[in-house]
Amino acid sequence: MFLGTHTPRLDDKGRLALPAKFRSELDSGLVITKGQERCLFVFGIGEFGRLTDLLRTAPMTDRRARDYSRVFFASASNEVPDAQGRITIPQALRTYAGLTKDCVVIGANTRVEIWDAVAWQSYLDSTEQAFAEAEEEVLPGLF
């Protein structure tokens, strides 16, 4: 499980240091791909395989499933962190997410998300009230 918020910087070669607490689960390899809201999703190999299996069962006759699979897999990149725990983010993915220098890396349960720092703050500003109000709808009876 990935938790927390971290603020690494992207270097001039497009490398980003993964938070130390995430490295043990990702050091054998990972997959980076486009996520929603113009962030990047980072999956450990096992979790990416689980998602692949789920998408494989989606009906080929469902256009939304085909569209999602095309974008999800076509933008995916296999990476292995270097000895310093850095990954290279391909230029196309950096462009998609608007990544320049200041980034935010968040733990999102079974995945890691990489955001441009300004985009992340804007996202939080626009969703925190909805988060507070959605508790009963999203997690009924839990609280």
Side-chain angles (χ1 to χ4, degrees):
M1 179 183 328
F2 298 105
L3 304 171
T5 302
H6 310 272
T7 54
R9 299 190 88 185
L10 195 65
D11 72 14
D12 293 335
K13 295 180 181 178
R15 296 176 302 191
L16 184 83
L18 293 169
K21 64 193 289 187
F22 295 170
R23 292 179 190 170
S24 64
E25 197 163 336
L26 300 172
D27 65 355
S28 62
L30 53 91
V31 177
I32 308 169
T33 191
K34 290 179 178 178
Q36 279 71 40
E37 292 84 34
R38 293 234 177 238
C39 73
L40 301 179
F41 287 171
V42 179
F43 297 99
I45 296 298
E47 180 64 13
F48 191 78
R50 188 185 73 76
L51 289 172
T52 298
D53 290 343
L54 287 172
L55 287 167
R56 189 176 290 132
T57 65
M60 293 284 290
T61 55
D62 184 334
R63 182 180 180 104
R64 293 179 312 154
R66 289 192 316 271
D67 290 346
Y68 187 85
S69 287
R70 287 175 181 141
V71 172
F72 189 74
F73 291 110
S75 65
S77 177
N78 288 311
E79 301 292 330
V80 176
D82 68 13
Q84 288 80 40
R86 297 175 301 190
I87 55 172
T88 300
I89 301 173
Q91 181 62 54
L93 290 174
R94 293 194 313 259
T95 300
Y96 169 79
L99 302 180
T100 53
K101 280 277 185 213
D102 295 321
C103 297
V104 175
V105 175
I106 66 166
N109 193 1
T110 60
R111 70 179 180 276
V112 172
E113 293 182 359
I114 302 172
W115 290 76
D116 169 74
V118 172
W120 173 247
Q121 189 58 53
S122 176
Y123 174 80
L124 280 180
D125 292 345
S126 69
T127 60
E128 282 188 329
Q129 185 61 39
F131 168 77
E133 295 169 358
E135 183 176 284
E136 185 61 31
E137 294 170 16
V138 175
L139 302 168
L142 188 60
F143 293 104

